[in-house]
Amino acid sequence: MQQLADELRAEGEELFGLLRTLDEGDWTRPTPFKGWTVNEVIGHLHGGDWAVILSMSDPAAYAIFKQARQEARDRGDEEGRNRLGPELESGSRLMAQWYEYFQEMCRQVSVADPKARIQWSGPDMSIRTAATARQMETWAHGQDIFDLMKQPRVPTDRLKNIAVLGVKTFGWTFRNRGEPVPDDMPHVTLTAPSGAVWDFPGAEGTDNRVEGSAVDFCHVVTQGRNIADTALKVTGETAKRWMAIAQCYAGPPHTPPAPGERAWQ
């Protein structure tokens, strides 16, 4: 788990480095992600990290928190549901608040049994999966702020954790939309930032393929880019359907950004 914890921590350190360059006024600017402000994006990340720590350290308290949030959702009280998380600061104070909890989450992950399971908003999951999901969220929502500030980003091979998650959630993408899961899962071949090739075999004999940059693939499965704004080569009807709606994160189905909407580079 130490390597995964280190990669998770590196993801947060990269984001922290960007946040430290922001002016206080930048925190209220809307990002390309649903118009969320930087405050809302970092508040969302902090809420997720806070919940993972709670689930790992106090399962009984997390169960109460989870039930209260579900009850709020059932009665359509999204504002009340969001208030059940941590009390949020704003601006540079929120940055410090998020960073403190993020570091504690990384510390707990580093010493945890990777197979141990924790409660979550959906099904229970292993701590290894939870840590990977937090890395994915940190990278993807970090991109929202990199895009807002028009700052280039240097990719690294720690993206492999997110690419693996993207492949593993092929079936989830369809089930989450109430659609049958195709039985001809595509073969995925990605080129890592280092130049290494990551190969993920699909269904035996499939003609469906997704090939190209690992960075592009991660952008698509986290819905940070429309497939049309990448150089990915997509072959086969199932592969094209998947890449048009791919979603590697939990929650209700979301629509990817429109072509050109987030293609500033």
Side-chain angles (χ1 to χ4, degrees):
M1 282 298 286
Q2 187 62 56
Q3 180 179 346
L4 181 55
D6 288 345
E7 290 171 339
L8 173 60
R9 183 177 286 108
E11 214 65 73
E13 292 291 353
E14 180 191 47
L15 175 55
F16 183 60
L18 175 64
L19 295 177
R20 291 180 64 185
T21 70
L22 302 186
D23 296 329
E24 287 297 323
D26 290 328
W27 287 81
T28 57
R29 293 175 60 189
T31 71
F33 180 74
K34 302 180 181 179
W36 285 15
T37 65
V38 176
N39 274 319
E40 289 172 319
V41 169
I42 300 303
H44 174 73
L45 284 178
H46 175 54
D49 298 344
W50 176 91
V52 167
I53 292 173
L54 183 64
S55 190
M56 291 177 65
S57 60
D58 193 341
Y62 182 83
I64 294 171
F65 165 72
K66 177 179 177 179
Q67 181 178 351
R69 281 175 62 89
Q70 186 59 54
E71 289 172 352
R73 171 172 282 176
D74 290 345
R75 63 176 181 267
D77 183 10
E78 282 300 306
E79 185 176 340
R81 179 173 176 270
N82 292 332
R83 285 200 303 269
L84 290 168
E87 185 173 344
L88 297 175
E89 299 286 351
S90 62
S92 58
R93 294 185 304 278
L94 174 59
M95 176 181 69
Q97 182 185 29
W98 161 74
Y99 188 68
E100 178 184 0
Y101 273 79
F102 178 82
Q103 291 293 335
E104 174 60 19
M105 178 180 66
C106 292
R107 186 195 69 77
Q108 291 196 25
V109 165
S110 70
V111 297
D113 177 355
K115 296 181 181 179
R117 300 190 72 77
I118 62 172
Q119 302 173 74
W120 198 239
S121 54
D124 293 356
M125 59 183 175
S126 70
I127 291 179
R128 179 181 294 279
T129 299
T132 302
R134 293 319 300 161
Q135 183 189 350
M136 177 272 295
E137 287 272 336
T138 304
W139 180 81
H141 284 300
Q143 191 65 52
D144 302 336
I145 304 171
F146 275 94
D147 284 353
L148 169 66
M149 303 305 294
K150 298 292 190 291
Q151 289 293 318
R153 196 177 194 181
V154 180
T156 73
D157 278 15
R158 64 175 180 264
L159 278 176
K160 188 172 185 179
N161 296 325
I162 301 171
V164 170
L165 187 63
V167 172
K168 286 184 174 180
T169 50
F170 166 78
W172 155 255
T173 291
F174 293 95
R175 286 193 299 272
N176 194 35
R177 293 172 176 265
E179 300 179 17
V181 178
D183 57 12
D184 53 344
M185 180 175 175
H187 188 122
V188 179
T189 303
L190 304 174
T191 302
S194 66
V197 175
W198 299 336
D199 197 55
F200 305 94
E204 185 176 357
T206 184
D207 292 328
N208 285 273
R209 300 189 68 89
V210 178
E211 303 168 271
S213 159
V215 177
D216 280 350
F217 180 78
C218 290
H219 279 316
V220 171
V221 297
T222 58
Q223 296 194 346
R225 297 285 189 274
N226 188 287
I227 183 65
D229 296 321
T230 74
L232 289 172
K233 180 181 178 182
V234 183
T235 307
E237 187 58 32
T238 294
K240 291 176 182 177
R241 286 175 57 205
W242 177 31
M243 289 290 95
I245 59 172
Q247 178 176 329
C248 72
Y249 53 88
H254 291 125
T255 301
E261 187 176 342
R262 295 192 60 171
W264 68 271
Q265 284 183 307

